[in-house]
Amino acid sequence: MTSAAARIRLPGQVTAIAAAFLVSCLGDGLAITALMLDFHDRATGGLGIAALFGAMSVPAILLAGLAGRISDRHPARRVLPPLGVGLVGVCAVMSLTDAVALLVGLLAVLSGLMAIAAPVFVKALFQASPAPLISRAGALVSMASNLGFLIGPAVGALLMDAVGLRGVLLVDAATYLAVPLVALCLPAPPESATTADPARPAQQSGFLAGLRILGQHLHLARVVLVGLVLTFALQVTNVVEIYLVRDSYGATATVFGLLTTAWAAGQIIGAGTAGRLLSERATARPAALTACAVGAALLTIAALNSLPVLFVLTALAGAANGAFGVVRQTALGRTIDSAGQGSAAAAHAALLNSATIAGLVGAGFVGAVVQPRTVYVLAGGLLLLALATTHVYRRTGPAPTTATRTEPGAVATATALPADGREHPPIASQ
């Protein structure tokens, strides 16, 4: 980071948005933990748990077009308050029912509302960020989200024992009050921006428009592609990790929990470090290096048989993964114009959730026929193969171009905020 950039403070709007992500992700973490515990106690089996994660992922895919159009055509200050009220209401209704099918359906509605809110948040965040601070703004939100999901499951387990599922869901409802509250911190839109431009062609917003925007820039497309493979690989290993720890190492549940904590802590540290170091530096090399580090860590985990080394590699892989997320956010923010950032954000979220679902399904098939260490080898090898392939095309393709923006508030991104982690995708970050 340049000395000039280091002296610039992040605007209060950025801090407010990060705080909203922290609170809502904490609420999501405790809610999904409580729902999993409740479904387990009611013996719903693997199908019930799978339905929960499907309800969290699928709406972001189905609603990507609508989310992109809303975020590109309507200001955040108008969109977020009704969405926040809807989120609070859905959580409150969830606390009043015990039916498994209804809980899953309401969770899907909740996830759908956040699928619409996420690109709105993204657009507001980077429009509020000075140009040299894209990476710091993205890192702050990434760290806040990861911290929320680091704390949320533990709090959810404690509250489940103390107040039960209904109490936990009411707490989650209260955390969603952060969504309309943060809208009060955003600037009022100019009169000309309060309604959609009737002259704007319909193809300029929506899911397909977002995909076209992501594919227009070769460097950006390569980073997004590597990110999708990274998400797929981590979800595959996430499924079999419990078997690696409990069966291969014979470790306790406490060790497994600590290993998950090491990954989350690594993500927070990696995101914070990348946010401060990137500034206006090029993103191609950091993207390749961080993804390569994750792939190498997965292969090394498969090869070695030392529990302390497993903790070290897990923390390092988490740090590299957190840094990659910030690198990708920065690349997106420097490349995509503000007119299409909402559609690109929604399309990107849909791609990430598709990769997540594919990873979970793939892990179910592969994990049933091969050993956990073999799954790690396959995942790490696939990620390194994707890197090698994109590197070949990088050498033969034209040099990437970077959009230059120098005025505060002119910067935008198109990333769905933190969605690369090993954990299943959070409701608040779709």
Side-chain angles (χ1 to χ4, degrees):
M1 174 178 295
T2 64
S3 58
R7 289 193 296 267
I8 302 175
R9 295 185 60 183
L10 286 172
Q13 298 164 21
V14 173
T15 305
I17 293 173
F21 268 87
L22 171 62
V23 173
S24 59
C25 285
L26 187 151
D28 289 343
L30 63 89
I32 191 62
T33 300
L35 285 169
M36 290 175 65
L37 291 171
D38 180 73
F39 278 30
H40 175 269
D41 291 344
R42 288 200 264 177
T44 62
L47 183 61
I49 302 299
L52 282 178
F53 292 125
M56 287 174 17
S57 303
V58 173
I61 302 173
L62 299 179
L63 297 177
L66 176 62
R69 286 190 291 272
I70 290 176
S71 56
D72 276 339
R73 298 185 181 189
H74 301 281
R77 189 157 179 170
R78 287 181 176 267
V79 174
L80 291 179
L83 284 176
V85 172
L87 289 164
V88 173
V90 172
C91 276
V93 174
M94 288 179 68
S95 70
L96 301 178
T97 182
D98 292 324
V100 170
L102 189 55
L103 283 171
V104 172
L106 289 171
L107 181 63
V109 174
L110 191 73
S111 197
L113 292 174
M114 278 310 304
I116 297 174
V120 178
F121 268 119
V122 169
K123 192 164 185 174
L125 173 67
F126 287 90
Q127 284 181 333
S129 303
L133 304 184
I134 301 176
S135 58
R136 279 179 57 190
L140 181 62
V141 173
S142 179
M143 293 168 67
S145 301
N146 285 321
L147 183 60
F149 271 94
L150 180 62
I151 300 173
V155 176
L158 292 174
L159 288 178
M160 190 66 177
D161 289 336
V163 298
L165 180 62
R166 176 170 298 179
V168 173
L169 292 175
L170 288 175
V171 172
D172 190 26
T175 64
Y176 277 122
L177 291 173
V179 174
L181 288 177
V182 76
L184 301 177
C185 301
L186 302 177
E191 190 65 26
S192 60
T194 56
T195 57
D197 183 359
R200 174 181 293 178
Q203 66 269 20
Q204 289 190 0
S205 62
F207 176 68
L208 293 180
L211 290 180
R212 285 195 295 269
I213 292 170
L214 293 175
Q216 284 173 353
H217 310 276
L218 292 182
H219 163 61
L220 179 60
R222 285 190 292 265
V223 174
V224 170
L225 176 61
V226 171
L228 294 177
V229 178
L230 176 62
T231 298
F232 176 85
L234 292 179
Q235 291 299 338
V236 169
T237 57
N238 186 43
V239 172
V240 302
E241 183 186 37
I242 183 65
Y243 300 101
L244 176 71
V245 174
R246 298 302 303 274
D247 297 341
S248 297
Y249 284 94
T252 64
T254 300
V255 170
F256 177 72
L258 291 174
L259 199 66
T260 302
T261 302
W263 176 275
Q267 280 190 307
I268 294 173
I269 295 172
T273 302
R276 296 194 63 84
L277 294 180
L278 273 179
S279 186
E280 297 176 347
R281 298 176 182 174
T283 56
R285 181 172 296 179
L289 291 177
T290 51
C292 182
V294 176
L298 295 180
L299 293 177
T300 308
I301 287 173
L304 301 181
N305 192 32
S306 169
L307 196 57
V309 173
L310 177 63
F311 269 90
V312 173
L313 290 172
T314 298
L316 291 176
N321 182 50
F324 177 87
V326 174
V327 172
R328 182 182 56 190
Q329 292 168 25
T330 304
L332 288 160
R334 293 175 181 174
T335 305
I336 297 178
D337 295 330
S338 59
Q341 62 183 354
S343 295
H348 187 230
L351 292 176
L352 285 174
N353 280 279
S354 298
T356 295
I357 294 174
L360 296 175
V361 173
F365 287 104
V366 176
V369 296
V370 300
Q371 296 297 316
R373 292 182 185 275
T374 305
V375 176
Y376 272 78
V377 171
L378 294 174
L382 178 64
L383 180 54
L384 294 180
L385 177 62
L387 278 170
T389 303
T390 56
H391 179 72
V392 169
Y393 282 103
R394 181 181 68 83
R395 292 174 61 90
T396 59
T401 58
T402 299
T404 301
R405 301 179 178 91
T406 56
E407 295 182 4
V411 179
T413 193
T415 182
L417 293 174
D420 272 338
R422 297 185 310 170
E423 304 310 313
H424 302 283
I427 299 170
S429 64
Q430 300 306 310

